[in-house]
């Protein structure tokens, strides 16, 4: 079965004074990516649970919460309870990722594990059996608008092989520097879900930008 690309615009590149309207501008997306940063795990601070719940209430698209925070086990289930479709925590911030996945799932969301560009996949192969999503970071987490790091695609290829072989059941997601120039190589490597911040919200027409990204990824997946 050919895979279908899925697109998750990142609200990090939206106009923060108009978050509800910005969510409604990307109604054609699959997920709306919501970057939570705590100023400790990453050197930037964004928004948290009350803002997520407010966006969730008006968003036409399910929320994909990417928690770039310390102590994710303490906060992640709250995002699931507030109605997020997927809640992703960073492997580097978790002492017991399996317990966090269990709590996220028990609260009603899919559980995601994110790895920074320098974090190998190897140590997490077993742990990933308890997750629904693998988020491969293709920039250092913290800021939108950075350049794509192609080296991370080896991890995507490995994850794709494990999923296609039936060893893992995961949505393979990529985040950072995805645009019309980089999405094809990510699609060829095996990504299912493409996060795009500046490439969608920096465009005059975010809906058209989503469609263009989707077309390029689909063409690359067909080979
Ligand atoms: C970065 C965030 C990304 C960011 C991507 O730490 O996790 O989701 O919004 O932005 P672009 O697509 O502009 O690289
Ligand atoms: Zn993100």
């Amino acid at each position: 079965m050919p895979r279908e690309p899925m697109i998750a615009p990142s609200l990090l590149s939206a106009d923060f004074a108009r978050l509800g309207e910005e969510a409604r501008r990307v109604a054609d997306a699959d997920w709306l990516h919501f970057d939570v940063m705590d100023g400790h795990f990453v050197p930037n601070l964004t928004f948290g649970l009350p803002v997520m719940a407010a966006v969730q209430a008006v968003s036409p698209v399910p929320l994909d919460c990417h928690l770039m925070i310390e102590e994710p086990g303490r906060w992640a289930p709250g995002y699931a309870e507030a109605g997020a479709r997927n809640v992703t925590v960073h492997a580097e911030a978790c002492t017991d990722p399996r317990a966090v996945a269990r709590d996220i799932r028990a609260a009603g969301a899919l559980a995601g594990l994110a790895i920074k560009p320098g974090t190998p996949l190897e140590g997490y192969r077993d742990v990933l059996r308890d997750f629904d999503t693998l988020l491969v970071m293709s920039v250092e987490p913290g800021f939108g608008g950075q350049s794509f790091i192609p080296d991370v695609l080896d991890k995507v290829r490995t994850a794709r092989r494990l999923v296609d072989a039936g060893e893992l059941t995961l949505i393979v997601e990529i985040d950072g520097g995805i645009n019309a120039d980089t999405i094809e190589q990510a699609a060829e490597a095996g990504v299912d879900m493409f996060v795009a911040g500046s490439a969608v919200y920096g465009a005059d027409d975010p809906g058209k930008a989503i469609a263009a990204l989707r077309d390029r990824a689909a063409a690359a997946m067909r080979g």
Side-chain angles (χ1 to χ4, degrees), residues 10-202:
S10 173
L11 214 49
L12 185 64
S13 293
D15 179 351
F16 284 7
R18 303 160 51 243
L19 286 178
E21 283 165 58
E22 294 284 70
R24 285 188 287 261
R25 285 172 86 203
V26 296
D28 296 338
D30 294 278
W31 286 354
L32 179 60
H33 189 79
F34 190 89
D35 286 306
V36 178
M37 305 187 190
D38 67 353
H40 294 277
F41 181 73
V42 287
N44 194 7
L45 184 68
T46 55
F47 23 51
L49 188 53
V51 178
M52 180 268 165
V55 171
Q56 161 77 29
V58 298
S59 176
V61 172
L63 259 63
D64 173 30
C65 295
H66 176 194
L67 307 188
M68 288 161 274
I69 63 173
E70 290 177 357
E71 289 191 75
R74 187 168 160 197
W75 306 105
Y79 289 84
E81 282 157 18
R85 173 70 55 86
N86 180 75
V87 181
T88 289
V89 296
H90 264 270
E92 304 85 359
C94 287
T95 40
D96 186 354
R98 284 195 147 120
V100 180
R102 192 184 56 228
D103 291 348
I104 292 170
R105 283 173 162 179
L110 300 175
L113 190 70
I115 49 174
K116 296 205 263 186
T119 302
L121 188 61
E122 279 316 307
Y124 296 100
R125 276 165 76 147
D126 279 343
V127 166
L128 280 168
R129 289 180 199 285
D130 292 333
F131 282 86
D132 305 291
T133 307
L134 168 66
L135 178 59
V136 177
M137 290 299 302
S138 40
V139 298
E140 289 301 332
F143 299 92
Q146 303 181 75
S147 298
F148 181 73
I149 301 171
D151 288 358
V152 307
L153 293 178
D154 279 342
K155 291 188 278 189
V156 170
R157 288 186 197 98
T158 303
R160 182 84 258 146
R161 268 200 303 277
L162 293 168
V163 171
D164 289 349
E167 286 185 44
L168 293 173
T169 306
L170 289 172
I171 295 169
V172 181
E173 186 174 12
I174 198 158
D175 184 8
I178 291 294
N179 56 39
D181 296 327
T182 57
I183 197 165
E184 285 164 334
Q185 48 184 306
E188 279 164 15
V191 169
D192 300 300
M193 177 73 71
F194 303 84
V195 176
S198 41
V200 170
Y201 279 109

Side-chain angles (χ1 to χ4, degrees), residues 196-210:
S198 41
V200 170
Y201 279 109
D204 291 336
D205 184 338
K208 272 193 190 156
I210 291 168

